[in-house]
């Protein structure tokens, strides 16, 4: 059985898009948050990206989970799996099956902004895992974690997460796909501290992180030869056109992916092919782009084991296990409250 808990204010998505677009389009340099790639078209494009030969992260993380899910289940003995940014929950099946086989699984709490994605995935999983209590939480995990409170010591400002869906027993909170790489270091620090504040003794945190590697491999993963990533990048403009009445000409922007060696992250940008003026009707805003001007649409940080360990420790989390795929492209870490 699937229950759905709403933890976003009415009109949250629309208000958030308006605020992000206004702030980003009037900033210098211009930028837009990557979460706005993901309308129905953007989500479909991303699924295509995960199947591209150049895009290794999804395959590498899945390979690690196939190999170590039973070990994770044994180490955590989790009764509840909480997944932040769950999406389709495809990789989650490996964890759920391992926990079920270990005899500890009772509940699953997927957290995502998309109610439709949560409902579809929740119903499918409830059917596949008889007796599993699926308590979906509609939330923006950057603001509402959706993880039941750790008690009086829970993070201030996160009380909206409530205690819904808590089946009791140990909990495993999973944040997969290296989504944490879309945050800059200061944002990661805040996020990890908030996760730590929601964990109780006996809980654990499973984190997926893409690793530093040959820049040519990294750039190819974000600038594939078939142009799927370019279409995905430009989709953020389609979202602004559809939802804010903007008049972006997608053909007037070029997809750019660059490796920042100093910060060790990939940046995706949209470069104006010519000078242009864009009207965003619902914001009452006119935006000028110079020829060649670039607008950042995503940061995707890459990590090293030592750096992950340090960032976790700074948030009060102690890394207990570290796994990589055979090629050393992706890392999965298991941490507990320090």
């Amino acid at each position: 059985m699937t229950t759905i808990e709403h933890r976003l204010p009415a009109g949250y998505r629309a208000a958030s898009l308006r605020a992000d677009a206004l702030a980003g389009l009037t900033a210098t340099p211009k930028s837009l948050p990557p979460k706005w790639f993901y309308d129905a078209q953007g989500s479909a494009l991303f699924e295509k990206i995960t199947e591209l030969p150049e895009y290794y992260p999804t395959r590498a993380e899945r390979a690690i989970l196939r190999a170590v899910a039973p070990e994770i289940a044994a180490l955590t003995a989790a009764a509840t799996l909480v997944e932040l940014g769950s999406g389709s929950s495809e990789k989650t099946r490996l964890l759920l099956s391992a926990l079920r086989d270990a005899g500890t699984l009772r509940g699953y709490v997927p957290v995502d902004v998309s109610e439709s994605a949560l409902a579809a995935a929740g119903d499918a999983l409830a059917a596949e895992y008889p007796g599993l209590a699926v308590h979906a939480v509609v939330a923006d995990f950057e603001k509402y974690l959706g993880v039941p409170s750790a008690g009086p010591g829970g993070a201030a400002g996160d009380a909206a997460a409530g205690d819904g869906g808590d089946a009791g027993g140990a909990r495993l909170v999973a944040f997969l796909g290296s989504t944490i790489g879309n945050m800059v270091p200061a944002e990661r620090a805040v996020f990890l501290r908030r996760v730590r504040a929601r964990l109780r003794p006996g809980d654990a945190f499973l984190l997926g992180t893409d690793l530093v590697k040959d820049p040519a491999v990294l750039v190819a993963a974000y600038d594939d030869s078939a142009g799927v990533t370019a279409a995905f990048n430009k989709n953020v403009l389609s979202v602004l056109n559809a939802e804010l009445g903007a008049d972006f000409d997608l053909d007037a922007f070029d997809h750019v992916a660059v490796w920042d060696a100093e910060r060790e992250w990939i940046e995706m940008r949209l470069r104006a092919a010519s000078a242009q003026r864009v009207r965003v009707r619902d914001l009452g805003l006119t935006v000028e782009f110079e020829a060649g001007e670039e607008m950042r649409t995503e940061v995707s940080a890459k990590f090293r084991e030592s750096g992950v360990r340090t960032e976790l420790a700074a948030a009060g989390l102690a890394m207990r296990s570290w796994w990589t795929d055979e090629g050393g492209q992706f890392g999965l870490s298991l941490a507990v409250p320090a």
Side-chain angles (χ1 to χ4, degrees):
M1 177 182 177
T2 301
T3 59
I4 297 181
E5 177 183 356
H6 293 267
R7 286 297 177 183
L8 293 179
Y12 173 84
R13 186 183 186 281
S16 183
L17 174 59
R18 290 171 62 90
D20 286 347
L22 181 61
L25 293 173
T26 57
T28 304
K30 298 179 180 69
S31 66
L32 291 169
K35 66 182 178 182
W36 300 117
F37 290 136
Y38 296 97
D39 62 354
Q41 172 72 3
S43 296
L45 284 168
F46 184 72
E47 287 303 312
K48 289 185 179 179
I49 288 172
T50 65
E51 299 168 0
L52 294 169
E54 297 98 330
Y55 194 81
Y56 59 85
T58 302
R59 290 190 297 275
E61 186 177 42
R62 189 185 297 122
I64 300 169
L65 286 169
R66 280 201 195 99
V68 306
E71 184 179 353
I72 293 170
L75 288 169
T76 63
T80 301
L81 175 64
V82 181
E83 187 177 11
L84 306 179
S86 56
S88 66
S89 304
E90 186 270 334
K91 284 179 287 193
T92 315
R93 286 168 168 80
L94 296 167
L95 290 169
L96 290 172
S97 294
L99 291 167
R100 177 194 59 192
D101 294 346
T104 62
L105 180 65
R106 304 213 305 261
Y108 174 52
V109 180
V111 183
D112 199 271
V113 293
S114 171
E115 180 177 355
S116 60
L118 285 170
D123 289 345
L125 291 171
E128 290 177 41
Y129 298 86
L132 178 66
V134 179
H135 184 83
V137 180
V138 182
D140 180 345
F141 60 77
E142 292 180 13
K143 296 180 175 64
Y144 305 90
L145 274 182
V147 182
S149 174
D158 226 354
D163 289 307
D166 189 359
R171 299 172 305 175
L172 174 61
V173 178
F175 192 37
L176 303 175
S178 202
T179 305
I180 195 167
N182 295 146
M183 305 175 191
V184 299
E187 293 169 337
R188 296 200 300 265
V190 170
F191 173 79
L192 291 171
R193 285 198 300 269
R194 290 176 59 239
V195 169
R196 168 61 186 90
R198 311 302 281 180
L199 298 183
R200 303 182 295 225
D203 290 347
F205 179 53
L206 184 67
L207 178 65
T209 44
D210 194 10
L211 303 181
V212 174
K213 57 185 67 65
D214 181 348
V217 173
L218 288 166
V219 171
Y222 292 83
D223 193 12
D224 62 278
S225 58
V228 182
T229 311
F232 175 70
N233 193 8
K234 292 183 182 185
N235 192 64
V236 72
L237 303 181
S238 295
V239 170
L240 297 187
N241 287 349
E243 300 196 29
L244 295 180
D247 60 0
F248 281 98
D249 177 359
L250 274 61
D251 293 333
F253 288 85
D254 298 320
H255 166 67
V256 178
V258 295
W259 170 244
D260 186 322
E262 180 180 352
R263 295 184 174 92
E264 294 192 324
W265 68 41
I266 286 280
E267 277 196 21
M268 289 210 315
R269 306 171 185 165
L270 289 170
R271 178 185 295 150
S274 59
Q276 53 197 280
R277 176 177 295 172
V278 177
R279 171 82 175 158
V280 187
R281 184 195 63 213
D282 293 359
L283 297 180
L285 182 67
T286 299
V287 186
E288 303 278 353
F289 285 88
E290 297 179 3
E293 182 179 351
E294 294 181 345
M295 175 169 63
R296 189 173 80 183
T297 53
E298 182 178 83
V299 162
S300 186
K302 308 306 169 185
F303 298 86
R304 302 174 187 271
E305 178 185 357
S306 59
V308 174
R309 190 181 297 273
T310 297
E311 290 193 40
L312 289 170
L317 292 159
M319 186 191 291
R320 287 289 178 258
S321 299
W322 171 262
W323 303 277
T324 66
D325 58 293
E326 287 187 1
Q329 294 184 307
F330 201 92
L332 202 63
S333 56
L334 186 70
V336 298

